[in-house]
Amino acid sequence: MISAQLRAPQAGTMQPRNAATAAATQHKFSPYAFNGGTVLAVAGEDFALVASDTRLSEGYSIHSRDSPKCYKLTDTTVIGCSGFHGDCLTLTKIIDARLKMYKHANNKSMTSGAIAAMLSTILYGRRFFPYYVYNIIGGLDEEGRGAVYSFDPVGSYQRDSYKAGGSASAMLQPLLDNQIGFKNMENVQQLPLTLEKAVQLVKDVFISAAERDVYTGDALKICIVTKEGIREEVLPLRKD
Amino acid sequence: MALQDVCGFIPFCQWNAPLLSSTSLEDTSCLPGRRFRPDPVSRSIWRSNTSSSPLEFYVPVQEYLLENPIEFGQDRPTVNLDWTNLTADDPLYHSSLTDSLRSPIPLSICPTVPLPFSLGHGTTTLGFVFQGGVIAAADSRSSCSGLVACPASQKILPVHSHLVGTTSGTSADCALWKRILARELRLYQLRYRRRLSTAGAAKLLSHMLHPFKGTELCVAATLCGWDGDEFQGGANETSASQSSIVTGTQPTTSHAVKDSTAQPVVASGTTVQPIVKLSKTQLNASNETSIPIMASNLSGPRLFYVCSDGCRLQGELFSVGSGSPYAYSILDGRIQWGLSVDEAISIAREAVYRATYRDAYSGNNVDLYHVTAKGWSRRKREDLKEEYYREKERERMRVEERRTGGKEKKSD
């Protein structure tokens, strides 16, 4: 079955088939660009973490070292968006507007599950010209337990306990499967994940990702969602 | 005119009556396809019908945001054609090309700009009918071009209490269309006080997907359901023995269905459907001789395959996806009507396991749903990794036995 997978597009160029004419390339306008970045979310018993790096790149250039990809939606929900930065900005604006509309109409904030369902329909509304964004929502559900919802660019979603998205997702996801999900290990004691351990794990994981993925780096921003509210931590990563 | 080409803005004062009267776009404006792929000029035509003042200045900003700007500057011959001013005399007016451009139905897309991400396919789902109901089974691997995006996805989605659908194709499309189908079926149930049959649900889904034929939408679903409550009103008034004659496969129709759904038709006999009324009069008139023929056609387990190409087939065995050839080979050899429930479940499980064994794009877990007159029930999701190791162990034991058996023979 499908989800959409990231592949760095040659922003606007088409490779010719014949090697002899390798010098001639055709440039075409592409409405999409790939701005890099990695997002990660982990759900615990009574907390949720959403972490992202802060590098904004395009091709071989870095546009900004301080462009975090986590956006606070409500007091209990944070969304991380990576992919094409233009679509990330528009999408978060649309989500904010819909949240306000809901608040005014129903006199309460949207729950994490409701935001996830709404985002799915927003993304699918552009099924034939999708938002090139990989979203991960992290927050607390109605019972106060951590919830993570991961999306593909056209709106397919499901609830997980952890998920990595963005350019380094293929590197991080197996590591999370092993360390948080205790998958593919024999005779291991499955301890529940505490907040301190989760934060330390996320930091280690991003440091490793920055080593191996060129689009990830500069700084790490972690948003920690608990019933007391949302707290932020920043950690510098390698800048090269 | 430049503004019109750039952002699809059509000023009303230039509106041309002959074009309006001859197109039937306003009729098609209520198609669900419009919501998803609005076409600039057709929308403006629709809008002009409802406006009264010729001086009204309408800028379709909202539509521009939703419109596909990929078509801007594309190398298509008619993109700059000012065909809003076409009259019936113009030769292009009657051409099929402008007809297709005028259509609000989404056109078939060959994206001249390739999407930066790929939506791959790969799955194994199957469904079959037998005397104990319908079995639906699927793997749970969600992949896209080499990466397993989700090892634990749900490919069998319950639509309502007596209908489940397996999904294959783009997971977003399947999830959303199942949701839309569930909503439409619920509305039908509320309006007409009975559940829509599986055949009806398949037809509804097929018609909802039809406007998107030729686009990149990809849904291949098998709807597995049990139709049983059409005769609820009739069965209610007759004795239990008669209801057992109604269908041989569901002796407890009226009671079972009553428990599982809140059907107002159970309480009042006046809201009974025409079909059921006929059966009632027939029951009263004749001695239930004609009932079994009618009943067996309209209730019991049903299996339909619906595809976004427009295909809608009824059958007794379907398998969909990249792993389906492997599943078919297991199923064709063993499926018959008279299987017991346990046998059927184990065959379905085996089929999915064999398919995941050979097909790279299927794997992880197997989900199994069983639909009976009482509704659907879900078997616990099983990790096929364990099955693989069990089989390897069995194979090892067999080899061991053969070797030791051979040794004993030699020693004799």
Side-chain angles (χ1 to χ4, degrees):
Chain A
M1 275 252 292
I2 298 81
S3 287
Q5 192 230 5
L6 204 87
R7 221 182 352 176
Q10 275 95 34
T13 63
M14 260 170 31
Q15 305 302 325
R17 276 174 234 160
N18 191 353
T21 58
T25 54
Q26 188 179 355
H27 291 262
K28 236 175 172 177
F29 173 71
S30 165
Y32 293 116
F34 178 59
N35 293 119
T38 306
V39 183
L40 177 65
V42 177
E45 195 53 48
D46 55 354
F47 66 91
L49 296 178
V50 180
S52 78
D53 72 323
T54 59
R55 172 174 288 181
L56 189 76
S57 49
E58 186 170 354
Y60 293 117
S61 327
I62 295 178
H63 287 317
S64 165
R65 296 194 192 275
D66 186 20
S67 164
K69 294 161 190 65
C70 319
Y71 302 93
K72 174 171 169 290
L73 297 178
T74 65
D75 285 332
T76 55
T77 316
V78 176
I79 189 172
C81 314
S82 71
F84 172 41
H85 194 61
D87 277 345
C88 295
L89 293 174
T90 305
L91 190 61
T92 46
K93 271 186 209 151
I94 290 177
I95 297 173
D96 279 333
R98 293 283 296 264
L99 286 175
K100 274 194 200 132
M101 282 159 55
Y102 183 96
K103 184 107 197 267
H104 289 140
N106 299 289
N107 203 22
K108 66 180 183 110
S109 321
M110 278 183 100
T111 59
S112 298
I115 297 177
M118 177 185 76
L119 181 56
S120 171
T121 49
I122 292 175
L123 292 172
Y124 197 81
R126 289 269 298 255
R127 170 66 177 83
F128 299 109
F129 179 32
Y131 290 107
Y132 181 20
V133 191
Y134 291 91
N135 298 291
I136 305 183
I137 290 182
L140 301 176
D141 65 7
E142 289 95 342
E143 292 150 29
R145 282 201 287 266
V148 164
Y149 297 92
S150 61
F151 293 77
D152 79 342
V154 278
S156 157
Y157 80 106
Q158 63 174 56
R159 185 171 172 173
D160 294 310
S161 23
Y162 54 88
K163 187 76 179 177
S167 59
S169 61
M171 290 179 217
L172 297 183
Q173 190 64 33
L175 183 56
L176 295 178
D177 282 336
N178 187 279
Q179 291 297 311
I180 302 183
F182 304 108
K183 300 247 176 91
N184 307 314
M185 288 201 287
E186 303 285 324
N187 304 322
V188 70
Q189 200 185 8
Q190 300 205 355
L191 298 165
L193 193 67
T194 60
L195 178 57
E196 292 75 24
K197 187 156 183 292
V199 171
Q200 191 52 49
L201 188 67
V202 165
K203 287 179 181 168
D204 289 337
V205 139
F206 261 92
I207 290 170
S208 314
E211 296 287 323
R212 285 288 187 177
D213 181 35
V214 301
Y215 299 112
T216 307
D218 291 332
L220 165 67
K221 181 167 163 192
I222 310 181
C223 299
I224 303 165
V225 185
T226 52
K227 60 179 189 304
E228 282 95 37
I230 300 181
R231 200 175 55 154
E232 288 177 5
E233 271 190 46
V234 177
L235 175 79
L237 296 173
R238 26 182 336 146
K239 294 191 179 353
D240 58 357
Chain B
M1 281 310 111
L3 193 62
Q4 180 179 329
D5 290 337
V6 166
C7 67
F9 160 63
I10 313 274
F12 280 156
C13 45
Q14 292 192 354
W15 211 246
N16 210 352
L19 184 67
L20 272 181
S21 55
S22 52
T23 60
S24 58
L25 282 161
E26 46 270 31
D27 298 327
T28 52
S29 64
C30 53
L31 274 179
R34 283 183 67 84
R35 277 205 300 280
F36 292 91
R37 181 78 190 267
D39 183 79
V41 184
S42 65
R43 246 180 296 108
S44 312
I45 290 173
W46 174 63
R47 217 167 276 278
S48 75
N49 274 340
T50 55
S51 105
S52 47
S53 159
L55 296 174
E56 203 165 302
F57 195 81
Y58 170 71
V59 180
V61 172
Q62 170 73 7
E63 283 83 12
Y64 174 58
L65 285 176
L66 300 170
E67 198 172 316
N68 191 344
I70 286 177
E71 290 173 45
F72 170 78
Q74 287 302 316
D75 197 19
R76 275 193 217 138
T78 50
V79 73
N80 288 323
L81 183 70
D82 180 20
W83 47 273
T84 56
N85 286 326
L86 282 179
T87 61
D89 305 321
D90 197 315
L92 266 171
Y93 186 75
H94 295 290
S95 87
S96 55
L97 187 60
T98 47
D99 272 337
S100 67
L101 278 178
R102 268 186 240 133
S103 160
I105 295 169
L107 305 174
S108 90
I109 296 180
C110 330
T112 45
V113 177
L115 291 172
F117 44 84
S118 60
L119 304 173
H121 300 236
T123 192
T124 306
T125 67
L126 59 96
F128 60 88
V129 173
F130 71 113
Q131 58 81 21
V134 194
I135 297 275
D139 74 315
S140 70
R141 175 173 288 181
S142 181
S143 61
C144 60
S145 72
L147 176 69
V148 176
C150 181
S153 58
Q154 273 252 22
K155 294 188 193 177
I156 309 187
L157 303 169
V159 176
H160 62 65
S161 62
H162 285 69
L163 181 64
V164 301
T166 70
T167 62
S168 174
T170 314
S171 52
D173 290 332
C174 292
L176 262 295
W177 282 105
K178 278 281 153 58
R179 212 166 141 183
I180 293 169
L181 182 67
R183 183 189 70 190
E184 292 302 320
L185 292 183
R186 180 68 184 143
L187 286 172
Y188 184 96
Q189 187 182 358
L190 290 168
R191 284 182 190 134
Y192 302 101
R193 304 213 201 181
R194 68 177 186 117
R195 276 203 305 273
L196 187 57
S197 63
T198 314
K203 202 167 224 181
L204 186 60
L205 183 61
S206 170
H207 288 177
M208 289 198 294
L209 290 174
H210 179 72
F212 300 96
K213 188 175 161 70
T215 66
E216 62 211 13
L217 203 79
C218 183
V219 174
T222 55
L223 295 176
C224 317
W226 187 288
D227 307 333
D229 64 340
E230 276 82 2
F231 295 105
Q232 216 172 8
N236 217 9
E237 297 196 4
T238 62
S239 64
S241 61
Q242 276 187 339
S243 65
S244 67
I245 295 169
V246 167
T247 56
T249 50
Q250 29 168 0
T252 55
T253 306
S254 53
H255 304 293
V257 181
K258 242 195 279 186
D259 292 338
S260 54
T261 61
Q263 289 272 333
V265 78
V266 172
S268 66
T270 50
T271 54
V272 158
Q273 294 298 307
I275 297 170
V276 187
K277 269 195 186 138
L278 188 62
S279 81
K280 263 166 54 186
T281 53
Q282 280 197 332
L283 280 166
N284 294 335
S286 70
N287 282 336
E288 311 109 35
T289 45
S290 55
I291 294 301
I293 302 163
M294 212 164 62
S296 59
N297 283 340
L298 289 171
S299 61
R302 283 287 177 278
L303 186 63
F304 276 86
Y305 169 68
V306 178
C307 176
S308 53
D309 295 340
C311 175
R312 177 174 56 91
L313 299 171
Q314 185 186 354
E316 295 197 345
L317 167 67
F318 283 113
S319 175
V320 185
S322 58
S324 62
Y326 310 107
Y328 270 127
S329 67
I330 301 286
L331 295 167
D332 285 336
R334 300 198 209 166
I335 291 292
Q336 4 158 5
W337 179 262
L339 292 169
S340 73
V341 173
D342 287 330
E343 278 173 357
I345 288 178
S346 89
I347 291 173
R349 210 179 126 274
E350 178 77 13
V352 175
Y353 171 61
R354 290 289 159 209
T356 59
Y357 187 70
R358 278 287 176 183
D359 178 33
Y361 289 102
S362 310
N364 294 102
N365 306 314
V366 59
D367 277 333
L368 223 137
Y369 279 67
H370 179 208
V371 186
T372 55
K374 296 200 191 75
W376 57 262
S377 65
R378 184 187 176 180
R379 200 164 158 274
K380 191 164 172 314
R381 169 173 269 200
E382 186 186 345
D383 192 347
L384 287 173
K385 187 177 62 174
E386 307 297 321
E387 179 60 31
Y388 173 74
Y389 285 121
R390 271 200 294 269
E391 175 157 19
K392 279 282 170 262
E393 188 59 32
R394 281 198 292 269
E395 184 60 38
R396 198 186 62 77
M397 303 277 282
R398 274 201 292 271
V399 168
E400 200 55 45
E401 262 173 62
R402 247 180 274 145
R403 216 150 32 90
T404 53
K407 271 192 192 154
E408 279 171 12
K409 273 195 181 162
K410 272 189 196 164
S411 64
D412 281 345

